[in-house]
Amino acid sequence: MKLFPRYLWGLRVALLFLLLVASSPVIASHIVGGEFSYSYLGEDSVGNSIYSVSVSIYEDCLHGALSAIEDDDPAYLTVFENNNDVYGGSSRSPGDPVLKPNNTYVSYDNAIDQFGCYNGGFYDSLFHTSAESVPTGFSNKCVSNVPATCLTKKTFTNVYHLPHNPDGYIITYQRCCRNAEINNIMDPGNTGSTFYATIPAWPVVNNSAVFKNYPPQIICLDNPLNYDHGATDADSDSLSYEFCASLNCCGWANPCTTGNDEIFASKPVPPPPDEPRPVYYDSVQYQGGYTPGNPMPGFPPMAIDPTTGIITGTPNQEGRYLVTVCCNEWRHGLIVNTIKREFQFVVAPCTKVVVADIPQYSTDPNTYIVDCSGFNVNFVNISTGGFSYSWNFGVPGLTGDTSDAFEPSFTYPDTGTYKVNLVVNPGSTCPDSIMRLVKIYPYFLANYADSGLACPGDTISFTDKTTSAFKPITYWKWNFGDGDSSFAENPTHSYKYPGTYNVTLISENVKDCMDTILKQLLIQSFKPFAGNDTIIVKGSAMQFDATGGTQYAWSPSDNLSNPSISDPVGDFPDTGTFDYVVEVASSFGCTGSDTIEVRVVNQAEFFVPDAFTPNGDGKNDVFKPIAVGYKSINYFCVFNRYGQRVYTGNSFDEGWDGTFNGERADMGVYFWEISFVDRYGKQGFLKGDVTLIR
């Protein structure tokens, strides 16, 4: 139920305006991160669940304005009822949140929301219960050109007595605005922060996970990062980790009142989550190229291990980047709660004197290698500034799995995932260490088979034959060598053209073993050809000449000497147009067909074009006569306007390509002569002109 009616808006806004009119706005650009946590303390005498809830903010005490830091006290927290059971439901969108009171609340009727509008209900005004200095995370002796840092973790804690309900609760804190120098989000100086915690619906009780380590203050540019962002859970829930969205809040618009709106835009009383959004509050807007899952640049790219929470990668661009880590608490296969830590990662050009580093040869997060071919691993060491090394190869219960070599080899006793630790300069003033995973899961061998007619246009079936000691195989990527690919386990494919194709298969199993195999596939050169369309004189015989296979079948069989051979003789006593189809089969089983048209005319004739265009487009590029009913050509000559002979030939199949002495001939009119022998052996002569066009 709502505790205060909306008709009291005007009165409450006026009261608040009178109380705060003399205040000046303080923008919280000093806040660089924050997180919620809570613990279950039991039930009170009337059956309410007792929860101790804390919100922690990280303050930049070096660059932050003192007035802004002082304005963090008090913090405003609100509690709303969630209309979905977070523990049992996949949806987390609240519908109509209803505030639930308890004996610690201050009346919400003395507050307005971030837009200056009364929101109805209650809120808590809390002063911080603890403040601690966050250590830098490295010794100044071990870093040259050390950046100046100062970071304070300020925590606000309250105990809530929450009545049992079937929906659970949302507890929210908001602050505006962020550091204007953040590189990966839009308009950071006018973008606020929302932090919240969800308490699951009764009868489920929960203790939130708690992050183990302080966030890193400074990350050195071009130095490998290996930061444990893992958490612990008092309920022994399973935990998983991911980069996720940072949430926005607040604003400077004031549609309901005038004056003093900036006070509440910078430190609002959190309003209920708006419906029907699928998340509690809006995400910040990320700059181009950045996403919640890719919040900062690096090579190897920044990644978080979903099981351990370890963040790895090598940042390669200086700047300030907003990063949020979600820790999901799993119980009985469902998410009980998700806690978030939001923090600004500052990448600066500091240089560590000693850097422990093992390369990542796997795409898996923080993994040196996934070895699926055997048990022996050769380690590569790319550390700098070292003079001594201590390796531990991570075999549980084994004390001899160590080495002091620069680049040792080690044979693992069994399959599994091992944590390999390298300490550079152990026991010295400036040691450094790194942990990488090594995954040993032999054996894995990619292979495949193909079947089907290897003919252009026919379907080829590809079958995965990968052998793996660990099943199932979970990934396939086929490249068929002609630009097409597939991610199916057993795909089919057809090739348009003959040739030899390099077909590759990349397969991967559940243990991240990956292998690639390449085989060549020969698609037969098969092109059924019935011959060129032909014109003959009535009463002449024609020799057909089909090619492309070993078996032929002509249809119709009219006028043909034998329709089952490649080169039957056709006898045409009458004029007309005759169309034939030849079915062709190759020795490899390829089948296809082609057509030919035979025109039968009354008398012999020469067909000579009056123009041609030798531009290399394959159309009308060669000037030559087409003879019907003639026995042979004695010569076919072409002359330019100066009487120079630019071409001579003596075959019906050859002609002039428009060149003279290896150079392109000029455009214009040329003259030709033909000396021929007709089918009766009589000599003849023709001449004319042709225009060369480019």
Side-chain angles (χ1 to χ4, degrees):
M1 63 179 178
K2 297 283 172 56
L3 299 180
F4 293 94
R6 295 285 182 173
Y7 61 78
L8 294 178
W9 286 6
L11 176 60
R12 293 177 175 85
V13 170
L15 289 173
L16 185 62
F17 177 81
L18 291 173
L19 289 171
L20 300 175
V21 68
S23 301
S24 59
V26 180
I27 300 176
S29 61
H30 65 290
I31 295 181
V32 297
E35 64 199 60
F36 257 100
S37 64
Y38 62 81
S39 58
Y40 176 68
L41 304 181
E43 293 189 16
D44 62 18
S45 59
V46 296
N48 295 321
S49 296
I50 308 174
Y51 279 91
S52 176
V53 179
S54 297
V55 60
S56 297
I57 57 175
Y58 294 91
E59 300 172 329
D60 182 351
C61 45
L62 182 66
H63 302 100
L66 179 60
S67 58
I69 294 174
E70 292 175 345
D71 193 55
D72 287 336
D73 279 307
Y76 300 146
L77 273 67
T78 52
V79 180
F80 301 99
E81 184 181 40
N82 188 6
N83 79 325
N84 278 319
D85 184 347
V86 176
Y87 173 67
S90 61
S91 171
R92 299 194 171 195
S93 64
D96 184 17
V98 178
L99 193 67
K100 290 292 185 179
N102 66 69
N103 56 3
T104 65
Y105 282 163
V106 177
S107 176
Y108 195 20
D109 65 340
N110 284 331
I112 58 177
D113 69 10
Q114 73 268 39
F115 299 112
C117 302
Y118 169 69
N119 222 324
F122 293 88
Y123 73 99
D124 273 312
S125 179
L126 305 176
F127 286 84
H128 72 271
T129 52
S130 66
E132 51 190 309
S133 178
V134 177
T136 60
F138 50 72
S139 168
N140 289 353
K141 297 179 181 179
C142 304
V143 175
S144 60
N145 59 308
V146 181
T149 61
C150 180
L151 193 67
T152 300
K153 179 182 180 181
K154 189 174 288 184
T155 301
F156 305 83
T157 301
N158 196 24
V159 175
Y160 292 96
H161 295 242
L162 300 176
H164 298 165
N165 74 16
D167 300 321
Y169 295 90
I170 306 168
I171 304 175
T172 306
Y173 168 78
Q174 293 183 328
R175 193 76 160 95
C176 190
C177 293
R178 301 177 186 270
N179 190 306
E181 298 178 356
I182 297 175
N183 295 86
N184 60 341
I185 66 172
M186 303 287 288
D187 195 20
N190 291 310
T191 299
S193 304
T194 293
F195 306 103
Y196 69 84
T198 56
I199 295 177
W202 179 262
V204 177
V205 297
N206 186 54
N207 294 278
S208 73
V210 178
F211 291 111
K212 294 184 292 187
N213 297 317
Y214 290 113
Q217 288 197 53
I218 296 292
I219 301 173
C220 289
L221 180 68
D222 295 325
N223 280 259
L225 175 66
N226 194 290
Y227 166 63
D228 186 357
H229 207 296
T232 59
D233 190 280
D235 301 318
S236 299
D237 294 328
S238 296
L239 304 180
S240 67
Y241 305 89
E242 59 185 326
F243 290 135
C244 53
S246 302
L247 300 185
N248 193 1
C249 87
C250 322
W252 302 100
N254 187 350
C256 299
T257 64
T258 58
N260 294 331
D261 52 300
E262 290 184 347
I263 296 173
F264 301 101
S266 62
K267 194 172 85 171
V269 172
D274 293 336
E275 56 176 329
R277 294 175 184 154
V279 294
Y280 294 133
Y281 296 93
D282 287 332
S283 168
V284 299
Q285 298 297 309
Y286 287 85
Q287 292 276 11
Y290 298 106
T291 65
N294 180 37
M296 58 187 294
F299 186 82
M302 309 304 293
I304 185 166
D305 190 298
T307 303
T308 65
I310 293 176
I311 297 177
T312 57
T314 300
N316 59 1
Q317 186 171 321
E318 185 178 352
R320 183 183 292 265
Y321 302 94
L322 183 61
V323 178
T324 300
V325 172
C326 281
C327 173
N328 301 309
E329 305 168 35
W330 295 83
R331 194 180 305 171
H332 307 305
L334 298 172
I335 294 179
V336 180
N337 179 46
T338 297
I339 61 167
K340 291 185 175 185
R341 174 189 276 169
E342 176 187 297
F343 199 75
Q344 295 173 26
F345 281 24
V346 179
V347 180
C350 52
T351 303
K352 296 173 68 175
V353 175
V354 178
V355 178
D357 200 4
I358 304 170
Q360 291 181 239
Y361 293 139
S362 170
T363 57
D364 291 359
N366 197 37
T367 301
Y368 169 59
I369 195 173
V370 179
D371 197 330
C372 303
S373 60
F375 294 88
N376 187 72
V377 177
N378 297 315
F379 288 91
V380 175
N381 187 348
I382 56 174
S383 304
T384 57
F387 53 80
S388 63
Y389 306 91
S390 176
W391 294 81
N392 187 306
F393 302 115
V395 181
L398 191 64
T399 58
D401 61 334
T402 60
S403 174
D404 58 4
F406 177 69
E407 291 186 330
S409 296
F410 184 74
T411 300
Y412 283 90
D414 200 354
T415 59
T417 298
Y418 299 91
K419 294 181 178 180
V420 177
N421 285 278
L422 168 63
V423 181
V424 179
N425 300 348
S428 68
T429 303
C430 292
D432 194 30
S433 63
I434 191 171
M435 186 278 290
R436 293 276 195 238
L437 299 177
V438 170
K439 300 180 180 181
I440 307 294
Y441 292 106
Y443 288 92
F444 185 82
L445 184 65
N447 197 8
Y448 71 85
D450 60 77
S451 59
L453 292 175
C455 306
D458 284 340
T459 298
I460 307 292
S461 296
F462 295 91
T463 304
D464 175 44
K465 296 290 185 181
T466 299
T467 56
S468 175
F470 295 88
K471 301 288 180 67
I473 297 171
T474 56
Y475 175 84
W476 303 266
K477 182 180 181 181
W478 299 82
N479 187 320
F480 299 115
D482 62 352
D484 286 346
S485 59
S486 173
F487 293 92
E489 179 180 359
N490 300 308
T492 60
H493 187 65
S494 62
Y495 294 87
K496 294 181 180 179
Y497 307 106
T500 300
Y501 295 89
N502 293 324
V503 180
T504 59
L505 166 64
I506 302 172
S507 56
E508 183 178 0
N509 70 5
V510 69
K511 295 297 186 180
D512 301 320
C513 293
M514 182 179 290
D515 192 27
T516 301
I517 185 170
L518 181 150
K519 296 182 182 181
Q520 290 189 330
L521 177 63
L522 175 62
I523 300 299
Q524 300 297 325
S525 179
F526 176 68
K527 187 176 182 180
F529 183 56
N532 293 318
D533 294 343
T534 304
I535 304 174
I536 64 172
V537 178
K538 179 177 69 173
S540 301
M542 172 185 169
Q543 181 80 56
F544 288 82
D545 188 19
T547 59
T550 57
Q551 299 179 44
Y552 301 87
W554 294 88
S555 63
S557 59
D558 302 344
N559 304 316
L560 301 181
S561 61
N562 185 346
S564 299
I565 60 176
S566 64
D567 54 352
V569 175
D571 187 12
F572 300 92
D574 296 316
T575 61
T577 300
F578 301 87
D579 294 319
Y580 290 91
V581 177
V582 62
E583 299 287 343
V584 182
S586 74
S587 59
F588 300 99
C590 303
T591 60
S593 63
D594 194 26
T595 62
I596 186 173
E597 179 183 274
V598 179
R599 285 182 57 199
V600 182
V601 298
N602 272 318
Q603 61 184 13
E605 190 172 354
F606 265 105
F607 298 94
V608 184
D610 57 7
F612 76 117
T613 56
N615 55 11
D617 65 355
K619 299 177 181 179
N620 202 25
D621 284 333
V622 177
F623 171 57
K624 65 181 180 179
I626 299 174
V628 177
Y630 290 89
K631 184 177 180 179
S632 62
I633 292 179
N634 297 317
Y635 63 83
F636 169 51
C637 297
V638 182
F639 303 88
N640 63 20
R641 60 181 177 170
Y642 304 110
Q644 293 176 295
R645 186 165 53 191
V646 298
Y647 174 76
T648 299
N650 58 8
S651 171
F652 288 120
D653 298 326
E654 297 175 355
W656 182 40
D657 63 1
T659 63
F660 178 47
N661 291 332
E663 301 290 335
R664 295 189 351 163
D666 295 333
M667 291 191 300
V669 178
Y670 292 79
F671 305 94
W672 55 266
E673 295 178 351
I674 298 175
S675 174
F676 60 85
V677 179
D678 67 15
R679 58 178 175 159
Y680 303 111
K682 184 178 178 180
Q683 300 286 331
F685 179 81
L686 292 172
K687 64 181 180 179
D689 59 72
V690 65
T691 301
L692 188 156
I693 303 172
R694 294 193 185 278

